Amino acid sequence: MSSLVRTSIWGVGSLALYVLLFLFSDETIELARRTREGEKIWFVVPIVIALLFSLVHGAFTGYFWDAVGLKPADKNRKK
Amino acid sequence: MEAVGFIHIEMGSALQLFLVGLVGGMVSGFIGSGGAFVLTPAMMTMGVPGIVAVASNICHKFPKAIVGALKRHKYGQVDWKLGIIMGVFAEFGMFAGKQVMTDIKRAYGDVGTNLYVSAVFIVVLGIVGGFVLRDAWRLYKAERAGEDIPANPVTKLARWVQSVRIPGTMMHFECIGASVSVLFIAPLGFATGLLAATIAVGGFIGVPSMIYLLGAPALMASATELVIAFVMGLGGTILYALDGVVDIRLAMIILAGSLFGIQIGAIGTTYVKDHAVKLVMGLIMVIVVVSRFFYIPGYLSQIGTIGPLDPGLLARLKWLGDGTLVLALAVGGLAILWALLRGIAEHRQQHEELAAAEGIED
């Protein structure tokens, strides 16, 4: 798979997550309110969201800089 | 539980957070931490309640830190064992630091915590930052003068720490290349967490302590700090999420910028020598210290140590303090970009010279 295709796929995935987050932003605020009121189980929601975004957006940003030519000096070099 | 307001996010504010996240991420990817000291005040300026700003800031830190740690793991710079052990002790330090802040606030109010934070900033960052910057400058000058400097100079104190043998507590760490007693690791991790709870950047203690007290190379210390930040950030986020004060929208906007930045910072470390990490860290720490001098007159006026100050003057001093924090981050970001571009240019030149030499041999 070319680096441009790979970057585009992860980029679309990342964009989709951000669109979903802002479409459902009222729901995230509501879940935080319910957590404050005692339904503690909802504390997992921001943590799961953060991990999911780090996976998808993290992969996208890594491939993005690679695609624009910003690469490390030597791959797998040991200090 | 007091009422917690989650603000309506304007496009301008989102862009501002994205940009601060980007530069903060770049600094984190390079020196292991940073950026957080600007993000919390930036969110509060937008009208985000303090507790939500702190919680949302910490919620963007742990996913950013794990992405950075995995990236730098690829370059062989991360000591996971040291990072996880220090991270666990840092977690305890963070709880203790949070309790100290709560106790001071209860006894002396907001002005008490502000003065305490400023005192910690000046004493810790002034001393440690000054020392780091002096060391980096000395190494930089020695290199420019063509002197033969060791790749990873180990301090006398670190050699002593490595020489102490306490049965039943010894552990071998890859980045140190020696066994060190966990009894030395524990207070360093604890202090890192304590500082993180006080000024939001534990790495200003964590990284220098790994370099100067344990004997780790600066590049590995800054990469390992990302593991500590992940452990601390995850623990902190769970605590704040249980209180329902994490605004995940704010956290993910900052993360959007910081994940772009952290990749640049991490890649930058493959082009530089150890002292570049020390130089960037020392510079940021010293500029951050300067920022506190603009806030202190206001706090002293509030507790009556000096007479009341003109509100216009107070506003200008606060603006100068906030501006100096932004300047610290900007200087750090520019220094990293400069080091990265210079490193790439040198790297290309070396490749071209090598290719030319091979061409002559053929």
PDB file of all heavy atoms in Angstrom, chain A residues 36-66:
ATOM      1  N   ARG A  36     -21.183  12.785  37.625  1.00  0.00           N
ATOM      2  CA  ARG A  36     -21.133  13.661  38.811  1.00  0.00           C
ATOM      3  C   ARG A  36     -22.276  13.349  39.761  1.00  0.00           C
ATOM      4  O   ARG A  36     -22.152  13.483  40.969  1.00  0.00           O
ATOM      5  CB  ARG A  36     -21.212  15.137  38.397  1.00  0.00           C
ATOM      6  CG  ARG A  36     -19.960  15.677  37.761  1.00  0.00           C
ATOM      7  CD  ARG A  36     -19.939  17.193  37.767  1.00  0.00           C
ATOM      8  NE  ARG A  36     -20.973  17.805  36.948  1.00  0.00           N
ATOM      9  CZ  ARG A  36     -20.885  17.966  35.628  1.00  0.00           C
ATOM     10  NH1 ARG A  36     -19.823  17.545  34.992  1.00  0.00           N
ATOM     11  NH2 ARG A  36     -21.856  18.546  34.952  1.00  0.00           N
ATOM     12  N   GLU A  37     -23.387  12.899  39.185  1.00  0.00           N
ATOM     13  CA  GLU A  37     -24.559  12.635  40.025  1.00  0.00           C
ATOM     14  C   GLU A  37     -24.567  11.219  40.598  1.00  0.00           C
ATOM     15  O   GLU A  37     -25.555  10.811  41.203  1.00  0.00           O
ATOM     16  CB  GLU A  37     -25.834  12.918  39.228  1.00  0.00           C
ATOM     17  CG  GLU A  37     -26.023  14.415  39.041  1.00  0.00           C
ATOM     18  CD  GLU A  37     -27.202  14.761  38.152  1.00  0.00           C
ATOM     19  OE1 GLU A  37     -27.850  13.826  37.626  1.00  0.00           O
ATOM     20  OE2 GLU A  37     -27.458  15.957  37.981  1.00  0.00           O
ATOM     21  N   GLY A  38     -23.497  10.456  40.353  1.00  0.00           N
ATOM     22  CA  GLY A  38     -23.397   9.152  41.021  1.00  0.00           C
ATOM     23  C   GLY A  38     -23.316   7.940  40.116  1.00  0.00           C
ATOM     24  O   GLY A  38     -22.989   6.851  40.583  1.00  0.00           O
ATOM     25  N   GLU A  39     -23.627   8.077  38.814  1.00  0.00           N
ATOM     26  CA  GLU A  39     -23.526   6.916  37.910  1.00  0.00           C
ATOM     27  C   GLU A  39     -22.073   6.793  37.450  1.00  0.00           C
ATOM     28  O   GLU A  39     -21.729   7.129  36.323  1.00  0.00           O
ATOM     29  CB  GLU A  39     -24.459   7.095  36.710  1.00  0.00           C
ATOM     30  CG  GLU A  39     -25.937   7.042  37.062  1.00  0.00           C
ATOM     31  CD  GLU A  39     -26.807   7.199  35.814  1.00  0.00           C
ATOM     32  OE1 GLU A  39     -26.525   6.581  34.786  1.00  0.00           O
ATOM     33  OE2 GLU A  39     -27.775   7.984  35.887  1.00  0.00           O
ATOM     34  N   LYS A  40     -21.227   6.308  38.378  1.00  0.00           N
ATOM     35  CA  LYS A  40     -19.772   6.357  38.180  1.00  0.00           C
ATOM     36  C   LYS A  40     -19.273   5.550  36.989  1.00  0.00           C
ATOM     37  O   LYS A  40     -18.170   5.787  36.490  1.00  0.00           O
ATOM     38  CB  LYS A  40     -19.047   5.902  39.451  1.00  0.00           C
ATOM     39  CG  LYS A  40     -19.273   6.821  40.640  1.00  0.00           C
ATOM     40  CD  LYS A  40     -18.633   8.185  40.412  1.00  0.00           C
ATOM     41  CE  LYS A  40     -18.894   9.153  41.560  1.00  0.00           C
ATOM     42  NZ  LYS A  40     -18.543  10.525  41.235  1.00  0.00           N
ATOM     43  N   ILE A  41     -20.092   4.588  36.531  1.00  0.00           N
ATOM     44  CA  ILE A  41     -19.650   3.723  35.440  1.00  0.00           C
ATOM     45  C   ILE A  41     -19.277   4.526  34.181  1.00  0.00           C
ATOM     46  O   ILE A  41     -18.418   4.114  33.396  1.00  0.00           O
ATOM     47  CB  ILE A  41     -20.739   2.656  35.111  1.00  0.00           C
ATOM     48  CG1 ILE A  41     -20.218   1.633  34.107  1.00  0.00           C
ATOM     49  CG2 ILE A  41     -22.023   3.276  34.613  1.00  0.00           C
ATOM     50  CD1 ILE A  41     -19.108   0.769  34.616  1.00  0.00           C
ATOM     51  N   TRP A  42     -19.903   5.701  34.010  1.00  0.00           N
ATOM     52  CA  TRP A  42     -19.666   6.491  32.785  1.00  0.00           C
ATOM     53  C   TRP A  42     -18.286   7.141  32.748  1.00  0.00           C
ATOM     54  O   TRP A  42     -17.925   7.763  31.749  1.00  0.00           O
ATOM     55  CB  TRP A  42     -20.765   7.549  32.614  1.00  0.00           C
ATOM     56  CG  TRP A  42     -22.133   6.949  32.494  1.00  0.00           C
ATOM     57  CD1 TRP A  42     -23.160   7.092  33.367  1.00  0.00           C
ATOM     58  CD2 TRP A  42     -22.604   6.075  31.465  1.00  0.00           C
ATOM     59  NE1 TRP A  42     -24.253   6.368  32.955  1.00  0.00           N
ATOM     60  CE2 TRP A  42     -23.931   5.732  31.787  1.00  0.00           C
ATOM     61  CE3 TRP A  42     -22.035   5.545  30.309  1.00  0.00           C
ATOM     62  CZ2 TRP A  42     -24.708   4.886  30.995  1.00  0.00           C
ATOM     63  CZ3 TRP A  42     -22.794   4.689  29.522  1.00  0.00           C
ATOM     64  CH2 TRP A  42     -24.110   4.375  29.863  1.00  0.00           C
ATOM     65  N   PHE A  43     -17.494   6.971  33.836  1.00  0.00           N
ATOM     66  CA  PHE A  43     -16.137   7.564  33.824  1.00  0.00           C
ATOM     67  C   PHE A  43     -15.284   6.937  32.721  1.00  0.00           C
ATOM     68  O   PHE A  43     -14.314   7.546  32.267  1.00  0.00           O
ATOM     69  CB  PHE A  43     -15.438   7.381  35.185  1.00  0.00           C
ATOM     70  CG  PHE A  43     -14.709   6.064  35.341  1.00  0.00           C
ATOM     71  CD1 PHE A  43     -13.348   5.971  35.083  1.00  0.00           C
ATOM     72  CD2 PHE A  43     -15.376   4.924  35.723  1.00  0.00           C
ATOM     73  CE1 PHE A  43     -12.663   4.763  35.214  1.00  0.00           C
ATOM     74  CE2 PHE A  43     -14.706   3.708  35.850  1.00  0.00           C
ATOM     75  CZ  PHE A  43     -13.352   3.631  35.596  1.00  0.00           C
ATOM     76  N   VAL A  44     -15.670   5.703  32.281  1.00  0.00           N
ATOM     77  CA  VAL A  44     -14.849   5.023  31.259  1.00  0.00           C
ATOM     78  C   VAL A  44     -14.973   5.694  29.890  1.00  0.00           C
ATOM     79  O   VAL A  44     -14.078   5.558  29.058  1.00  0.00           O
ATOM     80  CB  VAL A  44     -15.205   3.513  31.111  1.00  0.00           C
ATOM     81  CG1 VAL A  44     -14.897   2.753  32.376  1.00  0.00           C
ATOM     82  CG2 VAL A  44     -16.632   3.318  30.676  1.00  0.00           C
ATOM     83  N   VAL A  45     -16.067   6.432  29.672  1.00  0.00           N
ATOM     84  CA  VAL A  45     -16.304   6.993  28.324  1.00  0.00           C
ATOM     85  C   VAL A  45     -15.159   7.910  27.858  1.00  0.00           C
ATOM     86  O   VAL A  45     -14.587   7.681  26.785  1.00  0.00           O
ATOM     87  CB  VAL A  45     -17.688   7.688  28.262  1.00  0.00           C
ATOM     88  CG1 VAL A  45     -17.872   8.433  26.939  1.00  0.00           C
ATOM     89  CG2 VAL A  45     -18.782   6.652  28.440  1.00  0.00           C
ATOM     90  N   PRO A  46     -14.769   8.950  28.656  1.00  0.00           N
ATOM     91  CA  PRO A  46     -13.668   9.796  28.163  1.00  0.00           C
ATOM     92  C   PRO A  46     -12.359   9.023  27.995  1.00  0.00           C
ATOM     93  O   PRO A  46     -11.567   9.328  27.087  1.00  0.00           O
ATOM     94  CB  PRO A  46     -13.525  10.888  29.234  1.00  0.00           C
ATOM     95  CG  PRO A  46     -14.334  10.467  30.386  1.00  0.00           C
ATOM     96  CD  PRO A  46     -15.352   9.491  29.902  1.00  0.00           C
ATOM     97  N   ILE A  47     -12.142   8.011  28.833  1.00  0.00           N
ATOM     98  CA  ILE A  47     -10.883   7.253  28.739  1.00  0.00           C
ATOM     99  C   ILE A  47     -10.851   6.412  27.460  1.00  0.00           C
ATOM    100  O   ILE A  47      -9.850   6.401  26.732  1.00  0.00           O
ATOM    101  CB  ILE A  47     -10.684   6.397  30.007  1.00  0.00           C
ATOM    102  CG1 ILE A  47     -10.425   7.348  31.178  1.00  0.00           C
ATOM    103  CG2 ILE A  47      -9.531   5.420  29.861  1.00  0.00           C
ATOM    104  CD1 ILE A  47     -10.585   6.776  32.523  1.00  0.00           C
ATOM    105  N   VAL A  48     -11.984   5.762  27.152  1.00  0.00           N
ATOM    106  CA  VAL A  48     -12.055   4.953  25.924  1.00  0.00           C
ATOM    107  C   VAL A  48     -11.926   5.862  24.695  1.00  0.00           C
ATOM    108  O   VAL A  48     -11.197   5.545  23.745  1.00  0.00           O
ATOM    109  CB  VAL A  48     -13.364   4.127  25.894  1.00  0.00           C
ATOM    110  CG1 VAL A  48     -13.563   3.472  24.541  1.00  0.00           C
ATOM    111  CG2 VAL A  48     -13.345   3.068  26.989  1.00  0.00           C
ATOM    112  N   ILE A  49     -12.609   7.010  24.736  1.00  0.00           N
ATOM    113  CA  ILE A  49     -12.530   7.953  23.605  1.00  0.00           C
ATOM    114  C   ILE A  49     -11.077   8.403  23.409  1.00  0.00           C
ATOM    115  O   ILE A  49     -10.551   8.400  22.289  1.00  0.00           O
ATOM    116  CB  ILE A  49     -13.454   9.179  23.832  1.00  0.00           C
ATOM    117  CG1 ILE A  49     -14.928   8.764  23.776  1.00  0.00           C
ATOM    118  CG2 ILE A  49     -13.176  10.280  22.792  1.00  0.00           C
ATOM    119  CD1 ILE A  49     -15.909   9.876  24.108  1.00  0.00           C
ATOM    120  N   ALA A  50     -10.405   8.764  24.509  1.00  0.00           N
ATOM    121  CA  ALA A  50      -9.019   9.248  24.420  1.00  0.00           C
ATOM    122  C   ALA A  50      -8.099   8.169  23.831  1.00  0.00           C
ATOM    123  O   ALA A  50      -7.263   8.462  22.973  1.00  0.00           O
ATOM    124  CB  ALA A  50      -8.520   9.682  25.789  1.00  0.00           C
ATOM    125  N   LEU A  51      -8.295   6.924  24.260  1.00  0.00           N
ATOM    126  CA  LEU A  51      -7.436   5.846  23.751  1.00  0.00           C
ATOM    127  C   LEU A  51      -7.702   5.581  22.265  1.00  0.00           C
ATOM    128  O   LEU A  51      -6.780   5.378  21.482  1.00  0.00           O
ATOM    129  CB  LEU A  51      -7.645   4.567  24.575  1.00  0.00           C
ATOM    130  CG  LEU A  51      -6.977   4.590  25.958  1.00  0.00           C
ATOM    131  CD1 LEU A  51      -7.406   3.393  26.791  1.00  0.00           C
ATOM    132  CD2 LEU A  51      -5.452   4.632  25.849  1.00  0.00           C
ATOM    133  N   LEU A  52      -8.991   5.608  21.901  1.00  0.00           N
ATOM    134  CA  LEU A  52      -9.358   5.371  20.496  1.00  0.00           C
ATOM    135  C   LEU A  52      -8.775   6.468  19.587  1.00  0.00           C
ATOM    136  O   LEU A  52      -8.207   6.189  18.528  1.00  0.00           O
ATOM    137  CB  LEU A  52     -10.882   5.339  20.378  1.00  0.00           C
ATOM    138  CG  LEU A  52     -11.457   4.980  19.019  1.00  0.00           C
ATOM    139  CD1 LEU A  52     -11.079   3.556  18.631  1.00  0.00           C
ATOM    140  CD2 LEU A  52     -12.984   5.115  19.019  1.00  0.00           C
ATOM    141  N   PHE A  53      -8.886   7.722  20.045  1.00  0.00           N
ATOM    142  CA  PHE A  53      -8.343   8.833  19.256  1.00  0.00           C
ATOM    143  C   PHE A  53      -6.818   8.739  19.162  1.00  0.00           C
ATOM    144  O   PHE A  53      -6.243   9.052  18.118  1.00  0.00           O
ATOM    145  CB  PHE A  53      -8.749  10.190  19.872  1.00  0.00           C
ATOM    146  CG  PHE A  53     -10.091  10.672  19.422  1.00  0.00           C
ATOM    147  CD1 PHE A  53     -11.227   9.923  19.676  1.00  0.00           C
ATOM    148  CD2 PHE A  53     -10.236  11.876  18.750  1.00  0.00           C
ATOM    149  CE1 PHE A  53     -12.483  10.358  19.269  1.00  0.00           C
ATOM    150  CE2 PHE A  53     -11.487  12.325  18.334  1.00  0.00           C
ATOM    151  CZ  PHE A  53     -12.607  11.559  18.596  1.00  0.00           C
ATOM    152  N   SER A  54      -6.178   8.324  20.254  1.00  0.00           N
ATOM    153  CA  SER A  54      -4.706   8.235  20.211  1.00  0.00           C
ATOM    154  C   SER A  54      -4.274   7.180  19.212  1.00  0.00           C
ATOM    155  O   SER A  54      -3.295   7.355  18.495  1.00  0.00           O
ATOM    156  CB  SER A  54      -4.130   7.953  21.594  1.00  0.00           C
ATOM    157  OG  SER A  54      -4.376   6.630  21.976  1.00  0.00           O
ATOM    158  N   LEU A  55      -5.050   6.091  19.127  1.00  0.00           N
ATOM    159  CA  LEU A  55      -4.717   5.005  18.189  1.00  0.00           C
ATOM    160  C   LEU A  55      -4.874   5.486  16.737  1.00  0.00           C
ATOM    161  O   LEU A  55      -3.946   5.398  15.935  1.00  0.00           O
ATOM    162  CB  LEU A  55      -5.634   3.805  18.461  1.00  0.00           C
ATOM    163  CG  LEU A  55      -5.445   2.603  17.572  1.00  0.00           C
ATOM    164  CD1 LEU A  55      -4.200   1.847  18.003  1.00  0.00           C
ATOM    165  CD2 LEU A  55      -6.655   1.670  17.645  1.00  0.00           C
ATOM    166  N   VAL A  56      -6.047   6.033  16.429  1.00  0.00           N
ATOM    167  CA  VAL A  56      -6.353   6.397  15.037  1.00  0.00           C
ATOM    168  C   VAL A  56      -5.628   7.687  14.623  1.00  0.00           C
ATOM    169  O   VAL A  56      -4.919   7.717  13.602  1.00  0.00           O
ATOM    170  CB  VAL A  56      -7.890   6.536  14.835  1.00  0.00           C
ATOM    171  CG1 VAL A  56      -8.207   6.961  13.406  1.00  0.00           C
ATOM    172  CG2 VAL A  56      -8.580   5.235  15.184  1.00  0.00           C
ATOM    173  N   HIS A  57      -5.784   8.745  15.420  1.00  0.00           N
ATOM    174  CA  HIS A  57      -5.154  10.022  15.062  1.00  0.00           C
ATOM    175  C   HIS A  57      -3.628   9.925  15.183  1.00  0.00           C
ATOM    176  O   HIS A  57      -2.893  10.546  14.408  1.00  0.00           O
ATOM    177  CB  HIS A  57      -5.712  11.130  15.953  1.00  0.00           C
ATOM    178  CG  HIS A  57      -5.322  12.507  15.517  1.00  0.00           C
ATOM    179  ND1 HIS A  57      -5.525  12.976  14.240  1.00  0.00           N
ATOM    180  CD2 HIS A  57      -4.694  13.520  16.182  1.00  0.00           C
ATOM    181  CE1 HIS A  57      -5.068  14.217  14.148  1.00  0.00           C
ATOM    182  NE2 HIS A  57      -4.547  14.561  15.308  1.00  0.00           N
ATOM    183  N   GLY A  58      -3.151   9.116  16.154  1.00  0.00           N
ATOM    184  CA  GLY A  58      -1.707   8.912  16.318  1.00  0.00           C
ATOM    185  C   GLY A  58      -1.122   8.244  15.086  1.00  0.00           C
ATOM    186  O   GLY A  58      -0.062   8.645  14.593  1.00  0.00           O
ATOM    187  N   ALA A  59      -1.823   7.217  14.563  1.00  0.00           N
ATOM    188  CA  ALA A  59      -1.341   6.530  13.358  1.00  0.00           C
ATOM    189  C   ALA A  59      -1.358   7.497  12.178  1.00  0.00           C
ATOM    190  O   ALA A  59      -0.401   7.574  11.399  1.00  0.00           O
ATOM    191  CB  ALA A  59      -2.221   5.325  13.072  1.00  0.00           C
ATOM    192  N   PHE A  60      -2.440   8.277  12.073  1.00  0.00           N
ATOM    193  CA  PHE A  60      -2.556   9.228  10.959  1.00  0.00           C
ATOM    194  C   PHE A  60      -1.416  10.250  10.970  1.00  0.00           C
ATOM    195  O   PHE A  60      -0.755  10.471   9.944  1.00  0.00           O
ATOM    196  CB  PHE A  60      -3.913   9.941  11.006  1.00  0.00           C
ATOM    197  CG  PHE A  60      -3.975  11.182  10.154  1.00  0.00           C
ATOM    198  CD1 PHE A  60      -3.747  11.107   8.780  1.00  0.00           C
ATOM    199  CD2 PHE A  60      -4.228  12.421  10.715  1.00  0.00           C
ATOM    200  CE1 PHE A  60      -3.778  12.251   7.985  1.00  0.00           C
ATOM    201  CE2 PHE A  60      -4.266  13.563   9.932  1.00  0.00           C
ATOM    202  CZ  PHE A  60      -4.042  13.484   8.561  1.00  0.00           C
ATOM    203  N   THR A  61      -1.160  10.860  12.138  1.00  0.00           N
ATOM    204  CA  THR A  61      -0.118  11.900  12.194  1.00  0.00           C
ATOM    205  C   THR A  61       1.269  11.312  11.892  1.00  0.00           C
ATOM    206  O   THR A  61       2.096  11.962  11.258  1.00  0.00           O
ATOM    207  CB  THR A  61      -0.111  12.622  13.559  1.00  0.00           C
ATOM    208  OG1 THR A  61      -0.029  11.620  14.597  1.00  0.00           O
ATOM    209  CG2 THR A  61      -1.353  13.450  13.763  1.00  0.00           C
ATOM    210  N   GLY A  62       1.491  10.070  12.343  1.00  0.00           N
ATOM    211  CA  GLY A  62       2.767   9.398  12.058  1.00  0.00           C
ATOM    212  C   GLY A  62       2.954   9.206  10.561  1.00  0.00           C
ATOM    213  O   GLY A  62       3.997   9.568  10.002  1.00  0.00           O
ATOM    214  N   TYR A  63       1.919   8.657   9.904  1.00  0.00           N
ATOM    215  CA  TYR A  63       1.996   8.436   8.446  1.00  0.00           C
ATOM    216  C   TYR A  63       2.035   9.760   7.688  1.00  0.00           C
ATOM    217  O   TYR A  63       2.652   9.866   6.636  1.00  0.00           O
ATOM    218  CB  TYR A  63       0.801   7.591   7.965  1.00  0.00           C
ATOM    219  CG  TYR A  63       0.851   6.163   8.438  1.00  0.00           C
ATOM    220  CD1 TYR A  63      -0.265   5.561   9.020  1.00  0.00           C
ATOM    221  CD2 TYR A  63       2.015   5.400   8.305  1.00  0.00           C
ATOM    222  CE1 TYR A  63      -0.225   4.238   9.454  1.00  0.00           C
ATOM    223  CE2 TYR A  63       2.061   4.089   8.748  1.00  0.00           C
ATOM    224  CZ  TYR A  63       0.946   3.515   9.316  1.00  0.00           C
ATOM    225  OH  TYR A  63       0.992   2.214   9.745  1.00  0.00           O
ATOM    226  N   PHE A  64       1.347  10.771   8.241  1.00  0.00           N
ATOM    227  CA  PHE A  64       1.287  12.082   7.577  1.00  0.00           C
ATOM    228  C   PHE A  64       2.694  12.668   7.406  1.00  0.00           C
ATOM    229  O   PHE A  64       3.101  13.040   6.305  1.00  0.00           O
ATOM    230  CB  PHE A  64       0.398  13.037   8.390  1.00  0.00           C
ATOM    231  CG  PHE A  64       0.387  14.453   7.872  1.00  0.00           C
ATOM    232  CD1 PHE A  64      -0.424  14.813   6.804  1.00  0.00           C
ATOM    233  CD2 PHE A  64       1.211  15.423   8.440  1.00  0.00           C
ATOM    234  CE1 PHE A  64      -0.423  16.111   6.317  1.00  0.00           C
ATOM    235  CE2 PHE A  64       1.220  16.724   7.955  1.00  0.00           C
ATOM    236  CZ  PHE A  64       0.398  17.063   6.892  1.00  0.00           C
ATOM    237  N   TRP A  65       3.458  12.730   8.505  1.00  0.00           N
ATOM    238  CA  TRP A  65       4.800  13.325   8.421  1.00  0.00           C
ATOM    239  C   TRP A  65       5.723  12.464   7.569  1.00  0.00           C
ATOM    240  O   TRP A  65       6.614  12.968   6.889  1.00  0.00           O
ATOM    241  CB  TRP A  65       5.392  13.527   9.821  1.00  0.00           C
ATOM    242  CG  TRP A  65       4.704  14.637  10.581  1.00  0.00           C
ATOM    243  CD1 TRP A  65       4.048  14.539  11.775  1.00  0.00           C
ATOM    244  CD2 TRP A  65       4.588  16.017  10.191  1.00  0.00           C
ATOM    245  NE1 TRP A  65       3.533  15.759  12.146  1.00  0.00           N
ATOM    246  CE2 TRP A  65       3.851  16.683  11.194  1.00  0.00           C
ATOM    247  CE3 TRP A  65       5.026  16.751   9.089  1.00  0.00           C
ATOM    248  CZ2 TRP A  65       3.548  18.045  11.134  1.00  0.00           C
ATOM    249  CZ3 TRP A  65       4.719  18.116   9.031  1.00  0.00           C
ATOM    250  CH2 TRP A  65       3.985  18.732  10.049  1.00  0.00           C
ATOM    251  N   ASP A  66       5.482  11.149   7.619  1.00  0.00           N
ATOM    252  CA  ASP A  66       6.275  10.244   6.797  1.00  0.00           C
ATOM    253  C   ASP A  66       5.999  10.525   5.310  1.00  0.00           C
ATOM    254  O   ASP A  66       6.920  10.584   4.494  1.00  0.00           O
ATOM    255  CB  ASP A  66       5.892   8.799   7.156  1.00  0.00           C
ATOM    256  CG  ASP A  66       6.958   7.825   6.736  1.00  0.00           C
ATOM    257  OD1 ASP A  66       8.124   8.028   7.128  1.00  0.00           O
ATOM    258  OD2 ASP A  66       6.629   6.880   5.996  1.00  0.00           O
TER     259      ASP A  66
END
